[in-house]
């Protein structure tokens, strides 16, 4: 089992729709969770962090965390073509000395 | 406040050669982490440097080595290059080595090994 798993996509949504990106992780002791956006050929850019169960909203973005299910998600409301990118889920494990463990990323395509 | 800068942005090497990649951390950040991102994959942790000492290492062979300097800039060295070393190498700095600190990434160095 991979430490952080994401569906690689591509996930295609129409402009204005809600995009839902999902991520599961294997280390039950993980405490910190992040979503990074990466445009093609560019470096990852942090868009959301979440540390406790529940929802965290920032503009059009909502991160959701369920530690019991070891599941974290990112919702993007009113999706825009400029949201088309790869979204990387990243987790800080409780054990070991690794700053961030990344998933493979989900490629999102917002169709105008 | 300057961000994380990396050099060179692109380079091409041949198998067996050696390469050095450089990174200047964001102002005020004392920790640098290096990641390798192969095409279509997520970034993979190589190692982290905190106050000039290696502070954690991923599953990479010893031919991947690094340094951190007193000004917190860093180098990644890869010896005996292999074709599979072709990737985007990302440097990220953070305020401290504690796990919860957010990483700020540089633009990356794209290495092609022929």
């Amino acid at each position: 089992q991979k430490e952080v798993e994401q569906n690689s996509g591509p996930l295609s949504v129409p402009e204005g729709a809600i995009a839902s990106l999902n991520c599961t992780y294997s280390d039950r002791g993980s405490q910190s969770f992040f979503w990074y956006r990466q445009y093609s050929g560019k470096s990852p850019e942090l868009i959301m962090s979440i540390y406790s169960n529940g929802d965290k909203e920032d503009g059009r973005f909502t991160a959701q965390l369920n530690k019991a299910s070891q599941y974290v998600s990112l919702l993007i409301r009113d999706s825009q073509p400029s949201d088309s990118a790869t979204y990387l889920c990243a987790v800080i494990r409780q054990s070991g000395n690794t700053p961030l463990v990344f998933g493979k990323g989900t490629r999102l395509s917002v169709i105008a | 406040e300057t961000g994380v800068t990396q050099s060179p942005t692109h380079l091409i090497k041949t198998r067996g050669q050696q390469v050095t990649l450089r990174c200047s951390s964001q102002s005020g950040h004392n920790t640098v982490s290096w990641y390798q991102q192969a095409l279509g994959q997520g970034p993979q942790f190589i190692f982290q440097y905190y106050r000039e000492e290696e502070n954690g290492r991923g599953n990479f062979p010893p031919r991947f080595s690094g340094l951190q300097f007193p000004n917190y800039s860093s180098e990644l060295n890869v010896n005996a290059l292999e074709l599979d070393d072709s990737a985007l190498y990302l440097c990220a700095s953070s305020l401290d080595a504690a796990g919860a600190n957010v990483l700020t990434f540089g633009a990356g160095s794209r290495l092609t090994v022929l």
Side-chain angles (χ1 to χ4, degrees), chain B residues 1-6 23-29 71 93 104-106:
Chain B
E1 177 180 283
T2 58
V4 179
T5 58
Q6 293 187 242
C23 171
S24 295
S25 59
Q26 182 169 315
S27 177
H29 286 186
N71 66 355
S93 71
T104 301
F105 283 90

Side-chain angles (χ1 to χ4, degrees), chain A residues 2 32 34 36 38 41-46 49 51 88 92 97-105, chain B residues 33 35 37 40-45 48 55-57 88 90 99-103 105-107 110:
Chain A
K2 293 189 176 180
S32 305
F34 304 86
Y36 282 80
Q38 187 174 28
K42 304 295 185 182
S43 62
E45 170 194 13
L46 179 69
S49 59
Y51 305 100
L88 298 163
I92 293 178
N97 202 9
T98 304
L100 279 177
V101 178
F102 284 87
K104 290 179 61 173
Chain B
S33 304
Y35 284 80
Q37 187 176 24
Q41 303 295 315
Q44 298 294 309
F45 175 67
Q48 180 186 74
N55 187 46
R57 188 178 182 93
L88 180 68
L90 295 164
N101 281 291
V102 171
L103 299 185
F105 283 90
R110 185 166 296 282

Side-chain angles (χ1 to χ4, degrees), chain B residues 14-61:
Chain B
T14 57
R15 277 186 304 174
Q17 285 189 310
Q18 179 266 345
V19 67
T20 297
L21 308 178
R22 296 178 174 82
C23 171
S24 295
S25 59
Q26 182 169 315
S27 177
H29 286 186
N30 60 17
T31 304
V32 171
S33 304
W34 285 92
Y35 284 80
Q36 179 197 66
Q37 187 176 24
L39 197 62
Q41 303 295 315
Q44 298 294 309
F45 175 67
I46 304 175
F47 42 57
Q48 180 186 74
Y49 278 84
Y50 172 64
R51 295 184 176 179
E52 303 179 56
E53 297 287 332
E54 187 178 290
N55 187 46
R57 188 178 182 93
N59 189 26
F60 280 81

Side-chain angles (χ1 to χ4, degrees), chain B residues 60-88:
Chain B
F60 280 81
R63 59 189 185 84
F64 286 78
S65 63
L67 285 172
Q68 187 179 31
F69 300 99
N71 66 355
Y72 303 128
S73 66
S74 178
E75 285 183 356
L76 164 65
N77 299 289
V78 186
N79 293 322
L81 284 167
E82 302 177 359
L83 296 179
D84 285 348
D85 296 333
S86 296
L88 180 68

